[in-house]
Amino acid sequence: MNPTPAASADSADLSFASLPLAPSTLANLEQLGYRQMTPIQAASLPPALAGKDLIAQAKTGSGKTAAFSLSLLARLNPRRFAVQALVLCPTRELADQVSQEIRRLARGADNIKVLTLCGGSQMRPQISSLEHGAHVVVGTPGRIMDHLQRESLDLSALDTLVLDEADRMLDMGFYDDIAFVAKACPKERQTLLFSATYPEGIASLSRAFLRDPQQITLTEQHEAGKIRQRFYEVVPEQRLAAVGQLLRHYRPVSTLAFCNTRQQCRDLLQVLRAEGFVALALHGEMEQRERDQVLIQFANRSCSVLVATDVAARGLDIDQLEAVINVDVTPDTEVHVHRIGRTGRVDQEGWAFSLVSGNQMARVRNIVTTLGQEVEWHALGELQDSSTARLLPPMVTLLILGGRKEKIRPGDVLGALTGEAGFAKEQIGKIKVTETATYVAVARNIGQDALRKLSAGTVKGRKVKVHLLSDRGG
Ligand code: ADP
Ligand code: MG
């Protein structure tokens, strides 16, 4: 293996036009607002497009999806109706996101069919979709293995295998499933492994399934200045209340608060709600549907604070996250770096606050040693309410009972709200359609009105049942 220093990315040409990509792809990237390659893209795309196997490590939010997607799309033959690329992801949420990104990136090309295959969904519709054919399959290892065992998925024409978020897949115990899937792929293939961290298991995974891989490590974990870290010393009794103080002072729209235990999550949720914040929690033992509901409300900006443990937050990827709060600074520096890396994504700045009690100082010293830079200490006493108004999220979520099964599409809902209901497009936020439900974010001040008008009117010519998801923010 020949590690490529991150520095080489800086001096390189960062324009996508410097890559051997089709003009239609370049035009599409321009349309998507991808003006320049991110560092991991600049370092990994040239060898990936040249057909090399890769182990690429860069923090969450650095643009790894486009790095492997552009490469697999470039090798694809649209006229060949067979699965030519397979992307393995740890969770359904991530698989959905990857599929969406591949579809966006493929817009400039011929009709490329991307299929998502994950557990938790019925087998039968997946099997019939596979019978209709697909160029790219994105899925979780367990479900892909199921399809291989039933012979409903044929990988004999595969050119590219991608292991995305390989560290998390290993964390989740997918090694054997990945091995099974990799063995079902042709030997002559390109394998691209992407990971945010580099735990031991990655080396054995790559020894087993990659050929002479080029290793790309962007050790520069965070661009200077993009994530502003501040540490606050607290005594244990101040800890939970300090979260509210931080929120009232900095007023971030979306905050992810990490707790070290589930009990602490429950306690913090209670404290925040009592103080009038719109907060939700993620637990490991939540049903998928509940988890989806929480994530959708957080991602569409109708929840100010999401409280979670590291395990529950696994696989979470949120575009706009203004702040991360380490309610307890974690003993594991790598976890710390990973937590704070969720804020300050591609074009934005983010805050990372850590609450540290006297007996946790050693943890901060570890962070200082690892990052090779001093950290900024601040006093809780500096925090003041910067407004008398309650911190409320800008949106609320309407739940329409009916989803893909009822053939509802985002456009139908947007049409109903901006058409007969008379709302402006700017007042409508993200619209997420799941199998059986549709979640619509609307500006907080039109929540009740939108609820009334949607209930009284029709979506796709049909009456629908609508609820306002209660957030105690009314
Ligand atoms: P990762 O997989 O490394 O965590 P993602 O691939 O999810 O990161 O990318 C994070 C965000 O950055 C996505 O919203 C994506 O659309 C955006 N993005 C990726 N590449 C670029 C680029 N070159 N220019 C602008 N935005 C980009
Ligand atoms: Mg990713």
Side-chain angles (χ1 to χ4, degrees):
M1 282 189 279
N2 34 358
T4 306
S8 70
D10 296 337
S11 49
D13 184 352
L14 289 180
S15 77
F16 283 102
S18 65
L19 300 171
L21 292 173
S24 56
T25 304
L26 293 175
N28 183 43
L29 285 167
E30 181 80 29
Q31 271 217 324
L32 290 173
Y34 288 21
R35 310 238 174 279
Q36 280 203 327
M37 291 188 270
T38 64
I40 187 67
Q41 290 163 0
S44 61
L45 274 165
L49 288 167
K52 292 279 298 174
D53 278 10
L54 289 189
I55 304 175
Q57 184 199 348
K59 68 156 185 153
T60 303
S62 53
K64 295 191 287 294
T65 318
F68 62 73
S69 301
L70 285 170
S71 172
L72 70 86
L73 286 169
R75 298 182 64 158
L76 215 65
N77 177 355
R79 282 171 299 284
R80 184 163 185 212
F81 229 49
V83 176
Q84 297 165 53
L86 170 65
V87 184
L88 294 180
C89 299
T91 65
R92 201 186 68 181
E93 287 141 28
L94 285 165
D96 280 335
Q97 284 170 8
V98 167
S99 296
Q100 275 172 26
E101 178 85 348
I102 296 178
R103 288 195 189 102
R104 268 156 37 97
L105 292 168
R107 263 191 335 213
D110 299 276
N111 231 332
I112 304 241
K113 185 106 179 38
V114 183
L115 193 61
T116 317
L117 301 177
C118 298
S121 299
Q122 287 176 358
M123 255 340 233
R124 194 175 299 278
Q126 293 186 348
I127 293 172
S128 74
S129 299
L130 279 166
E131 282 164 0
H132 285 94
H135 297 98
V136 182
V137 168
V138 182
T140 45
R143 181 52 63 99
I144 298 294
M145 187 168 83
D146 273 2
H147 280 289
L148 289 169
Q149 282 169 333
R150 289 175 191 228
E151 298 185 3
S152 42
L153 173 62
D154 174 11
L155 296 179
S156 59
L158 187 112
D159 284 318
T160 316
L161 171 65
V162 180
L163 309 178
D164 188 23
E165 312 261 356
D167 50 352
R168 292 202 206 138
M169 289 202 285
L170 293 178
D171 268 0
M172 293 169 81
F174 280 139
Y175 188 96
D176 292 342
D177 296 6
I178 297 171
F180 184 96
V181 175
K183 283 183 191 134
C185 296
K187 278 216 165 60
E188 276 301 314
R189 62 158 197 268
Q190 181 182 30
T191 309
L192 305 171
L193 184 156
F194 283 77
S195 191
T197 60
Y198 196 90
E200 250 169 83
I202 301 278
S204 58
L205 196 64
S206 69
R207 267 196 304 279
F209 304 111
L210 274 66
R211 279 204 310 200
D212 183 27
Q214 183 159 339
Q215 187 173 347
I216 295 163
T217 308
L218 292 192
T219 41
E220 186 66 35
Q221 287 283 354
H222 303 294
E223 273 174 55
K226 275 189 71 185
I227 299 174
R228 288 166 292 181
Q229 280 210 74
R230 293 192 166 176
F231 288 74
Y232 292 84
E233 184 169 357
V234 295
V235 296
E237 306 74 68
Q238 292 175 315
R239 196 184 290 280
L240 298 186
V243 176
Q245 284 176 267
L246 286 167
L247 294 171
R248 280 186 294 268
H249 180 86
Y250 292 98
R251 299 183 74 80
V253 177
S254 299
T255 301
L256 184 54
F258 282 103
C259 295
N260 285 354
T261 66
R262 291 223 311 265
Q263 183 57 44
Q264 193 181 43
C265 284
R266 282 191 282 269
D267 295 344
L268 179 61
L269 188 68
Q270 211 173 21
V271 168
L272 289 174
R273 285 187 168 168
E275 291 181 6
F277 293 105
V278 178
L280 293 168
L282 271 186
H283 316 281
E285 77 277 27
M286 258 176 174
E287 278 177 45
Q288 185 69 42
R289 207 167 45 91
E290 288 176 278
R291 187 177 156 88
D292 285 349
Q293 242 187 47
V294 167
L295 289 176
I296 288 168
Q297 291 179 79
F298 189 58
N300 74 15
R301 300 171 92 71
S302 44
C303 160
S304 301
V305 194
L306 183 63
V307 177
T309 57
D310 293 294
V311 174
R314 186 172 282 155
L316 207 76
D317 187 24
I318 290 144
D319 284 351
Q320 296 168 288
L321 191 59
E322 280 77 13
V324 165
I325 300 180
N326 295 307
V327 180
D328 259 301
V329 64
T330 151
D332 183 332
T333 304
E334 199 173 353
V335 170
H336 178 84
V337 169
H338 199 63
R339 280 179 174 185
I340 67 171
R342 292 165 179 279
T343 186
R345 291 298 175 87
V346 176
D347 283 329
Q348 301 145 25
E349 298 201 318
W351 287 107
F353 306 114
S354 300
L355 301 174
V356 189
S357 52
N359 59 346
Q360 295 174 331
M361 288 301 165
R363 299 179 180 182
V364 180
R365 279 195 294 278
N366 276 338
I367 293 170
V368 170
T369 318
T370 308
L371 296 184
Q373 65 192 49
E374 278 304 321
V375 298
E376 240 182 84
W377 285 97
H378 288 262
L380 280 183
E382 290 172 14
L383 300 176
Q384 282 175 352
D385 296 6
S386 47
S387 160
T388 50
R390 236 171 106 193
L391 176 66
L392 285 171
M395 313 299 276
V396 290
T397 301
L398 299 176
L399 167 63
I400 300 176
L401 303 182
R404 273 198 296 274
K405 265 205 193 120
E406 285 72 29
K407 306 241 181 310
I408 292 182
R409 292 199 210 148
D412 304 325
V413 180
L414 187 64
L417 284 165
T418 55
E420 43 180 315
F423 294 110
K425 232 170 110 189
E426 296 69 41
Q427 294 174 298
I428 318 299
K430 289 194 177 159
I431 300 175
K432 176 88 186 172
V433 183
T434 70
E435 204 53 33
T436 55
T438 301
Y439 299 85
V440 194
V442 301
R444 176 163 292 272
N445 60 350
I446 64 161
Q448 290 295 343
D449 202 17
L451 171 66
R452 217 173 17 249
K453 289 188 173 150
L454 267 186
S455 308
T458 58
V459 174
K460 259 203 152 161
R462 233 183 310 163
K463 280 258 172 229
V464 286
K465 276 217 159 69
V466 191
H467 300 295
L468 184 61
L469 284 185
S470 131
D471 65 6
R472 305 165 193 221

